[in-house]
Amino acid sequence: MLKKLSYLCVMLGFALGGSTLAQEESEEVLRAKIMQAWKTREAKVKSAKIEWKEFHWKAKGSTVDVGSREYEDPDNFYHKQIIPPREIEYTSEAELVMEGNSVRHQHVPQTWIANGNALKKTPELRVWTKDHSKHLYANGGSGRDEPQGGIAKSGSVFGLHTPNIRPLLSSMRPASKPFVAYDLDKMIAAPKADKIRGRPCIQFYLTEQVHQGTYRLSLWYDKERDYCLVREIESINGTIVSQMDVDYEMNQTVGWFPARWSWSRRINLKGAIDWTFRAEGVRAEFNQTLSPALFDIQFPNGTDVIDNVSNTMYTVRPTGQEVFYSRSSPLTAGSSRSIFQAVYVWVVALLVGIPLVLLFGRWVYLRFRKPTT
C-alpha cells in the first residue's frame, strides 16, 4: 500500500512539473510572438510626421504655480494660492516627427500664472537623437519672458514618456529602448486573457512597494491587432491613480495605428480625478524624406541654456555665448552674473571665515597663555 502511495505521489509530482514547464513554454512562445509582431511593425515605419489636437481639463487646485518667480519662497503669497483657482480647459495642436531613432515633439501647453492670474501659452519643443536631447521653452515654460533651453547627453528620456506621445512611440517603436516606457521582460503575464472593449487582450503587470503601499502597473495588449497597447493602469492599494486608453484604426502603410487616446490622473488617493487629456484628429504621413535639421534646435537670441554635456550655463547672444557658469571655471569674466557670483562667494567666505578665525584665535590664546600666579 505504501509503495502504491509513493508511486502515485511521484507520478503526481511529474504531472505537476510537466504542467508548470508547459505554462512556462507557453508564456515564452507568447513573448516571442509579441516581439516578432512588434519588430515587424517597427520595420514598416522608417519615418513619420504626425499631427493631432489635444483637449486638456484640470480641476481647481490640481497644479502648483511654477510660473511665479516667487514660487521658491514658501512664505510668499503666491505659494499659498490654490492653483489653478478654478477649473480650466484648453485645446492645443501638437506634432511628432520621427526618423529612425530620432524624435521631435512640439506642442503648446498652457500654464496658470498666479502673478498674472491667467492661463499662459508655453510652447515647448524637444528633440531626442542618439547623440543628445535638447529642449526649448519659448517663454521659459513657466511664465517667464526669456526663452529657456537645455542640452542633455544621449540616453536622456526626460519628456519622452509623457502620455501626450507615449501611444505613438509604443506603436512605432514598441520593441526599442528608450522609446518604450516599459520593460516587458520584467513584467508578469496574467494567466487569463481579458476583454477590453470587447476584444481579447493579454495583460502584463508588475507590483512594487512604495511609501503609500502597493503600486501596480498593468498593461493590456490586443491579441488580434498585432499586440498593440490598448490600456495602461497605474494603481496604489487598488485605487487607480492614472489610466490611459488607446483606440486604433487600420493604416494601409503601417497597419494598426493610434487614432485617438485619452489619459486621466488623480494625485490624492482619496480624491477625484483632477486632470484629463485626450488626443483626437490624428493626421499621419509615413516614410517621407525628412530634413536632418528637424532633429536639432537652434536656440534663439536671449535663450538661457543649461548644457549638461559641456557642463556650462550660458545666454545666447548675437555675438555668441555669454557663459555665466562653467564647472571647470565657475567665475567667467565679462558676465554680470559672474560678478554677482563673485560677490556672493566673498560675502559667504567673510561671514563664515571671520567667526572661524576668531574662534581659532581664542583657542590659541587659551591653549598657550601662561598661567598667572
Side-chain angles (χ1 to χ4, degrees), residues 52-121:
W52 66 95
K53 184 174 288 188
E54 298 181 347
F55 301 85
H56 293 261
W57 171 86
K58 295 182 181 180
K60 175 181 177 180
S62 59
T63 61
V64 295
D65 173 30
V66 296
S68 172
R69 289 183 180 274
E70 297 83 356
Y71 172 67
E72 296 177 358
D73 181 2
D75 295 323
N76 187 271
F77 168 73
Y78 294 114
H79 186 88
K80 298 177 180 179
Q81 279 192 309
I82 297 175
I83 306 297
R86 57 175 173 80
E87 188 178 291
I88 59 173
E89 291 184 89
Y90 67 88
T91 304
S92 64
E93 302 285 337
E95 180 188 69
L96 184 136
V97 181
M98 168 183 280
E99 184 170 45
N101 289 331
S102 297
V103 178
R104 171 191 176 98
H105 174 225
Q106 59 182 350
H107 66 141
V108 188
Q110 295 188 27
T111 305
W112 185 270
I113 310 300
N115 51 14
N117 196 36
L119 277 175
K120 184 173 183 178
K121 292 183 178 181

Side-chain angles (χ1 to χ4, degrees), residues 10-188:
V10 170
M11 295 303 295
L12 181 60
F14 277 121
L16 292 174
S19 175
T20 303
L21 290 173
Q23 289 175 357
E24 290 175 354
E25 183 181 6
S26 176
E27 184 172 329
E28 184 178 346
V29 170
L30 171 64
R31 290 177 183 271
K33 286 174 61 179
I34 293 174
M35 190 58 61
Q36 183 58 50
W38 287 356
K39 289 182 178 179
T40 300
R41 185 151 21 113
E42 285 193 7
K44 295 178 181 178
V45 184
K46 308 299 183 184
S47 67
K49 182 179 180 182
I50 306 154
E51 298 174 342
W52 66 95
K53 184 174 288 188
E54 298 181 347
F55 301 85
H56 293 261
W57 171 86
K58 295 182 181 180
K60 175 181 177 180
S62 59
T63 61
V64 295
D65 173 30
V66 296
S68 172
R69 289 183 180 274
E70 297 83 356
Y71 172 67
E72 296 177 358
D73 181 2
D75 295 323
N76 187 271
F77 168 73
Y78 294 114
H79 186 88
K80 298 177 180 179
Q81 279 192 309
I82 297 175
I83 306 297
R86 57 175 173 80
E87 188 178 291
I88 59 173
E89 291 184 89
Y90 67 88
T91 304
S92 64
E93 302 285 337
E95 180 188 69
L96 184 136
V97 181
M98 168 183 280
E99 184 170 45
N101 289 331
S102 297
V103 178
R104 171 191 176 98
H105 174 225
Q106 59 182 350
H107 66 141
V108 188
Q110 295 188 27
T111 305
W112 185 270
I113 310 300
N115 51 14
N117 196 36
L119 277 175
K120 184 173 183 178
K121 292 183 178 181
T122 54
E124 294 182 13
L125 170 61
R126 293 183 181 274
V127 297
W128 298 266
T129 71
K130 64 180 180 63
D131 299 317
H132 61 252
S133 66
K134 292 184 178 181
H135 70 263
L136 172 65
Y137 301 143
N139 57 10
S142 58
R144 303 183 180 186
D145 294 327
E146 63 273 12
Q148 304 286 320
I151 304 174
K153 298 178 182 179
S154 62
S156 172
V157 296
F158 182 74
L160 192 61
H161 297 154
T162 63
N164 307 59
I165 61 176
R166 194 156 68 233
L168 297 173
L169 295 178
S170 295
S171 176
M172 295 185 292
R173 293 292 182 266
S176 299
K177 296 179 181 178
F179 302 104
V180 289
Y182 333 101
D183 187 349
L184 212 63
D185 291 336
K186 297 181 180 179
M187 304 185 74
I188 301 170

Side-chain angles (χ1 to χ4, degrees), residues 96 121 154-155 159 207 230-231 295 319 327 332:
L96 184 136
K121 292 183 178 181
S154 62
T207 60
V230 295
R231 176 168 292 176
F295 304 102
T319 55
R327 185 169 295 177
T332 305

